[in-house]
Amino acid sequence: MRFVSLFFNDRLTITPETLVNDSSLKAVPFGELPMVEQPPLNPTFQYDEKLQQILYGKQFLLDELAITVDQIQKHYENGYVKYSTGISKTSYGHVCRRCGNEKSRLFAVFSCFRCKSDNCVYCRNCIMMGRVSQCTPLVTWNGPEVKWSHENNLHWKGELSSGQQLASKEFVERIGSEGELLIWAVCGAGKTEVLFKGIEKALNQGLRVCIATPRTDVVLELAPRLKAVFPNTLVASYYGGSEERETPAQLVISTTHQLYRFKQAFNIIIVDEVDAFPYSYDKTLQHAVSHAVTPKHFLLYLSATPSRTMKKALINGRLQCVKIPKRFHGFPLPVPKMVWNGEWKKRLERGKLPAPFLKWLKAQADSGRRAMIFVSSVSVLEKLTELIKKIVDVPVDSVHAEDPLRKEKVSQFRNEDIMVLVTTTILERGVTVPFLDVAVFGADHDVFTESALVQIAGRAGRSKDDHNGEVILFHYGKLFSMIQAINHIKSMNKEAGI
């Protein structure tokens, strides 16, 4: 978009080209405007409370706002809205002010209709959130803060295990202070319940809290649970396609990608599954977390499989940790069994299933229990699903990251409308289903790292009424990652004394 600079109320200001009738004024792309001082706050201006609630603690593109440019400009001229550069030039290239990307290979140029430039630079790293370019300003709120409720009582009658109580107490004591804490808890330890008391204390101090997770499925799992236990609190879930992304909320459950849109919004961020892809590998997502917190903040990390970097930080004393080695129901983690599956790739290409897997599959279908079968790729998923459907009489389906019916299929699996669900590693975390057995078809593929296999095994035996779920690793050769995962689980069971 092009803006013009002009004098307004005896000071130099900027205005979108579409709102100026004077053709003598030169319009330039937003990124080429001179430095202009932010207009002072006009206390007599009647600002739009809806705009305040939408923009507070966030940064949006003009296209993302269902409010006219004229209304936004009036708020800017009266000091309540701020425009900032989306893409800035640096001595070594460019930087995206939304996601923090500085990699030259993740910038590109295009012929832009809005700024009339043939070489308008945009960021490819966060393009899924809407295109940020040199000529697009980021719009933020600059007026009064939103005041949050101090009446957010917790409605939960459950009991915590001794390990949960220890972690919960530590979290509660940290509320109101600054710093970082890791809760290292085994899969099925009940991490969500550990958070309840700390969140309640934070909300009742008027603080704003975000639970950020790499996966949409985890957001969909957590949101209804938190809305149920905090019925008097403004709670919203933020993910791609969410209808609540403009809902002002004191408690937010969000994918880490959605944090690109936040700026100094949260006093406390809880990063769930901090070791998970893509968060653990993407520096811009980590930047998004640091960008979304207020200057004085507290970060809580949750993980069942901390990274080497985190473990090193624990050893060096740079990060404090509370460990929960036992599941909430007190029973051990299921230890995976390795089963040789022969040359499963060749068998699959010929339209056949390996004998060991076929035997397990038929027994599983007869058991009346649900099964999750993890595979290494979408191509394997499609072939395997079609073969399974021809062999068993129970409802079978598949799901992967780009599946448009992903949400519905997971819900059907929970409701037993689907009994066998073939999936990629997209469901290795955050999905809790009772009376479930788990298999990994082709566990010798390098996508199944130690942490991935530990998380996959953690899908089984999560219910106190069904703590003996089976985990089978079908392979064509044992990998070190498989052995590491089994040793990891045995170690946690030993530390828990079970």
Side-chain angles (χ1 to χ4, degrees):
M1 179 175 288
R2 298 200 303 182
F3 280 67
V4 299
S5 53
L6 70 164
F7 279 92
F8 178 79
N9 291 339
D10 297 324
R11 67 170 56 239
L12 186 65
T13 186
I14 58 174
T15 302
E17 179 184 24
T18 55
L19 302 180
V20 177
N21 295 321
D22 190 345
S23 59
S24 67
L25 295 171
K26 183 182 178 182
V28 298
F30 184 83
E32 297 179 15
L33 287 168
M35 292 291 293
V36 177
E37 185 180 347
Q38 173 70 20
L41 210 63
N42 177 6
T44 64
F45 179 71
Q46 295 295 311
Y47 64 85
D48 186 334
E49 291 188 2
K50 181 181 179 182
L51 182 62
Q52 177 201 32
Q53 292 173 344
I54 292 172
L55 284 181
Y56 181 68
K58 296 180 191 170
Q59 49 186 5
F60 279 109
L61 301 171
L62 284 168
D63 289 347
E64 295 180 284
L65 298 169
I67 295 172
T68 65
V69 174
D70 182 45
Q71 287 177 292
I72 294 168
Q73 179 64 17
K74 286 178 181 176
H75 281 75
Y76 163 75
E77 291 169 354
N78 286 278
Y80 287 80
V81 159
K82 183 178 181 180
Y83 296 132
S84 58
T85 307
I87 304 291
S88 297
K89 289 183 180 179
T90 65
S91 58
Y92 49 83
H94 296 89
V95 60
C96 176
R97 297 299 177 185
R98 181 170 66 180
C99 74
N101 169 43
E102 297 179 344
K103 297 177 180 177
S104 57
R105 62 182 175 83
L106 292 178
F107 288 101
V109 297
F110 72 114
S111 181
C112 181
F113 171 78
R114 291 181 173 180
C115 71
K116 318 303 181 189
S117 170
D118 291 331
N119 296 291
C120 187
V121 177
Y122 71 96
C123 178
R124 294 194 299 116
N125 185 66
C126 57
I127 188 72
M128 79 293 290
M129 312 294 290
R131 183 166 56 198
V132 176
S133 68
Q134 280 182 309
C135 73
T136 53
L138 294 172
V139 184
T140 56
W141 183 252
N142 198 54
E145 295 182 359
V146 172
K147 299 299 181 183
W148 303 109
S149 171
H150 286 62
E151 297 180 2
N152 300 275
N153 294 331
L154 173 66
H155 289 234
W156 185 66
K157 301 299 182 183
E159 294 184 3
L160 299 177
S161 67
S162 57
Q164 287 175 304
Q165 288 174 6
L166 183 66
S168 176
K169 182 182 177 182
E170 184 69 23
F171 180 36
V172 169
E173 290 177 353
R174 298 296 190 96
I175 299 301
S177 65
E178 298 178 55
E180 298 179 324
L181 175 68
L182 168 66
I183 295 180
W184 182 348
V186 298
C187 298
K191 294 190 294 290
T192 304
E193 290 76 12
V194 166
L195 304 176
F196 288 166
K197 285 291 185 181
I199 291 175
E200 180 186 36
K201 181 180 177 181
L203 296 176
N204 286 332
Q205 288 183 5
L207 303 178
R208 197 177 187 194
V209 181
C210 174
I211 301 176
T213 177
R215 303 286 175 85
T216 298
D217 305 276
V218 182
V219 174
L220 296 173
E221 175 108 4
L222 290 178
R225 294 173 65 186
L226 287 159
K227 288 178 180 179
V229 298
F230 291 106
N232 301 321
T233 303
L234 290 171
V235 183
S237 57
Y238 288 36
Y239 56 91
S242 169
E243 297 178 356
E244 298 179 341
R245 281 185 297 173
E246 290 191 358
T247 303
Q250 188 176 3
L251 175 57
V252 169
I253 305 98
S254 172
T255 59
T256 46
H257 278 91
Q258 291 295 324
L259 293 185
Y260 286 148
R261 288 197 173 99
F262 287 93
K263 183 178 181 181
Q264 296 188 3
F266 302 105
N267 308 99
I268 298 168
I269 290 188
I270 301 161
V271 186
D272 190 21
E273 307 292 2
V274 68
D275 60 293
F277 179 86
Y279 179 81
S280 58
Y281 294 89
D282 192 336
K283 297 295 182 184
T284 64
L285 290 177
Q286 295 164 30
H287 166 86
V289 170
S290 63
H291 201 58
V293 290
T294 55
K296 294 183 178 180
H297 61 268
F298 180 74
L299 289 174
L300 178 67
Y301 304 113
L302 307 177
S303 179
T305 50
S307 65
R308 290 181 181 178
T309 303
M310 277 201 151
K311 289 177 181 177
K312 189 175 180 179
L314 294 176
I315 294 170
N316 295 336
R318 290 184 284 108
L319 179 65
Q320 291 185 292
C321 173
V322 179
K323 210 168 185 181
I324 310 177
K326 186 186 293 187
R327 288 184 152 184
F328 78 95
H329 52 51
F331 293 97
L333 292 158
V335 178
K337 301 173 185 176
M338 293 187 283
V339 175
W340 189 81
N341 208 30
E343 294 188 68
W344 58 269
K345 290 182 183 178
K346 290 185 177 180
R347 297 282 295 177
L348 208 58
E349 288 172 2
R350 293 198 294 264
K352 296 181 179 180
L353 294 176
F357 177 78
L358 183 60
K359 181 181 178 181
W360 172 84
L361 179 65
K362 290 179 176 179
Q364 186 68 34
D366 292 338
S367 70
R369 294 169 59 83
R370 279 167 286 192
M372 289 180 79
I373 302 172
F374 288 85
V375 297
S376 56
S377 66
V378 175
S379 60
V380 173
L381 175 141
E382 291 171 345
K383 293 175 184 176
L384 186 64
T385 303
E386 288 306 309
L387 290 174
I388 291 174
K389 285 180 177 179
K390 295 175 182 178
I391 292 168
V392 299
D393 293 328
V394 298
V396 178
D397 215 323
S398 63
V399 66
H400 55 86
E402 303 303 320
D403 191 334
L405 299 177
R406 172 173 154 189
K407 180 180 176 182
E408 291 79 2
K409 288 179 180 179
V410 172
S411 178
Q412 290 172 349
F413 187 56
R414 284 198 180 98
N415 296 333
E416 298 187 273
D417 295 324
I418 297 172
M419 293 299 292
V420 176
L421 186 63
V422 186
T423 177
T424 58
T425 54
I426 193 66
L427 295 185
E428 74 180 35
R429 301 164 187 261
V431 177
T432 299
V433 178
F435 304 103
L436 174 73
D437 295 315
V438 176
V440 180
F441 185 86
D444 48 296
H445 193 283
D446 57 12
V447 74
F448 296 114
T449 61
E450 175 193 347
S451 61
L453 291 173
V454 170
Q455 292 287 349
I456 287 169
R459 298 311 97 208
R462 297 174 72 91
S463 169
K464 63 181 179 180
D465 299 321
D466 177 50
H467 52 80
N468 289 322
E470 188 177 50
V471 182
I472 306 291
L473 308 181
F474 291 100
H475 66 88
Y476 182 49
K478 298 177 184 178
L479 295 186
F480 188 50
S481 58
M482 297 160 63
I483 297 168
Q484 281 180 310
I486 291 171
N487 289 339
H488 180 123
I489 291 169
K490 287 180 176 178
S491 175
M492 293 301 275
N493 284 340
K494 183 177 179 181
E495 189 170 338
I498 49 180

